[in-house]
Amino acid sequence: MSFLVARDLRKTYGPVTALADIGLDVEEGEFVTLLGPSGSGKTTLLMAIAGFTRPDSGTISLAGRDITGVEPEDRDFGFVFQGYALFPHMSVADNIAFPLKVRKWDRARVDARVEEMLGTVGLADLARRKPRELSGGQQQRVAIARALAFHPKILLLDEPLSALDRTLRETMQRELKRLHRQTGVTFLYVTHDQEEAIAMSDRIAVFQKGRIVQVGAPRDLYYAPSTRFVAGFLGVNNLVDARLVRGADGAVEIEALGARVALPPGKVADLPEGPATVFMRPEDIALEPTPGEPALAIAGTVADVSFVGSFDLVVIEPRGGPEITAHLPADRTRALPVGAPITVFVRADAIGVVPNT
Amino acid sequence: MRPFDRWAVGLTVPAVLLTTLFYVLPIAQVLVLSVTEPAPGLANYEQLLGSRAVARVVMTTLEVSLWTTALTIAASYVVAYALVQMRPSVRRVALFMVLVPFWISVLVRAFSWITILRREGLVNLAVTGLGIVDEPLQLVHNRTGVIIGMVHYMMPFAVLLIYANLAGIDRRIMQAGRSLGARPMTVFWKLWVPLSAPGIAVATLFVFIFSLGFLITPTLLGAGRTVMVAEYISVQITNTLRWGVATGLSTMLLVAVGFVVFIAMRQPALRAAFSGRQG
Ligand SMILES: Nc1ncnc2c1ncn2[C@@H]1O[C@H](COP(=O)(O)OP(=O)(O)OP(=O)(O)O)[C@@H](O)[C@H]1O
Ligand SMILES: [Mg+2]
């Protein structure tokens, strides 16, 4: 049995279903991210696990013990709030000492642990400052140090980096990963930023309208999304309406953007014939077919070309469908004026197919 | 200045004139009277400082005001704290009930308290009827009655001041406290109370200063046995016509209030309250 287990959690607010039959298993020491758009129920689940929100039904258990009815103060879970929620009337050191003092640690032990935590998050010089005298990134570190100081069983983090600017966010992502490795504490992390989720997590649970639609390692979700929603949410994907056609000999063909290609056997074993959604990553779209491999040949016109660094981002308007985006080598795009006709190729094994819903 | 700003400044002129005419000038006149009536000089102040009656009135005023302040703040904090915890629908009703006394004249309230607190009043009927005490309690026409009436008068103000402060505190701070292992008592004493220090400070200052100048409530509920400064001044003006003494005492009250405000504004909590930040 897993370390933290949520079973059949439901929570409704009037007509809104914030959580609909959520099930989630987290192993000890894992870094699991709850990823989903705004309003999909991530905070509600985190608050239920922390004990602040009582679910309408379902259970939460930790190391085999049912904790659904346990008060937050008795759970021993660290919580890093959106906006940090530092105690404004206490110094940095007193903020970090707070959980230790309520646990009646003796003075020497508290001081030693505060010192240690300040060192861990690199704030040793700012121990006497008040929270309002700190930058956003520094407040963030205090909040994390405070939540980790008392050796929590789990650390819950609700969009801790959303208020920081891009560069600082990347630094803090690395910092959090380091803290996770260093402390071995189980991290349950909420974000709506898919890059952040992919960069940090052991596993990601994707939320949609109060449900977890897919759980898996970042790579699995990226390469094998199970629904159109997940495919669209993870990574920049071209999502295109398509038709699945099954031949007599078990061969499967896909028809999209006015073109048609046979898919490798076994790719879409469980999908019925008929409408489906196809996704293609921009980096899998090329100007020439790979010799000897079947490819979908998409004909259209160039709608836009923009330089983004190592490649050019080309928007193509296919004859039979919505715009798609391709990453093409910069040395080849000079010959692509806007409005010029173009044909691009996507290898059949790089094409993903998911159900339409 | 843009035309709009000129307009805006122009609109304050009537208020400035009114304040000067009906507030600043009369106060100046009080100051002047205190050193000219009946004869020029500081005789009024010498007399006031030497008078045992005045000393007793000042002591009474201070004691009653301190008691009123302490009881008002404690009781109002409980109400304000409860208001913050309520569901919005319940809170609307509760806030309405806090505001009701504002619409009832202070005279009506004082007389109501007399009927409730007198020997044959509701409270005494209850406690003697239930056998809690043998003799009716002396609840009115004394200091107790004055303090009850004054606390009742001041509570809506204090509740609103403290409530405004409590409602502005980020509730996630309390959740953070709980997630860190703090039990309700610790959350209350270590988080709610220090974070509401600015609200408590403002309410305390307001109630105390207001209490110093109470007239009608002590006059009616004290029935001449608990005389506070304002009643004493009023008597000097209307009964004994000693304008010099009355204005001198008024001036001293004004100076005392100014001094209290000056001292209070040096406190960090009050400075925080007026600069709009917490802690
Ligand atoms: N206390 C509440 N009362 C009423 N509705 C609520 C409450 N808390 C959450 N909801 C609703 O439940 C749904 C899920 O909210 P939740 O805060 O869990 O979303 P989220 O995934 O954390 O979104 P975000 O990324 O914007 O933080 C939303 O529709 C929200 O409006
Ligand atoms: Mg949220």
Side-chain angles (χ1 to χ4, degrees), chain A residues 38-39 41-44 82 158-159 190 192:
Chain A
S38 188
K42 309 178 297 286
T43 299
T44 308
Q82 206 169 356
D158 192 0
E159 311 214 16
V190 164
H192 58 243

Side-chain angles (χ1 to χ4, degrees), chain A residues 253-274:
Chain A
E253 289 198 339
I254 197 89
E255 208 180 85
L257 299 174
R260 194 171 169 132
V261 68
L263 294 181
K267 180 128 197 162
V268 288
D270 49 356
L271 280 180
E273 201 169 58

Side-chain angles (χ1 to χ4, degrees), chain A residues 277-291:
Chain A
T277 297
V278 145
F279 63 89
M280 297 167 280
R281 289 172 206 293
E283 61 268 29
D284 290 327
I285 297 176
L287 283 167
E288 282 104 24
T290 314

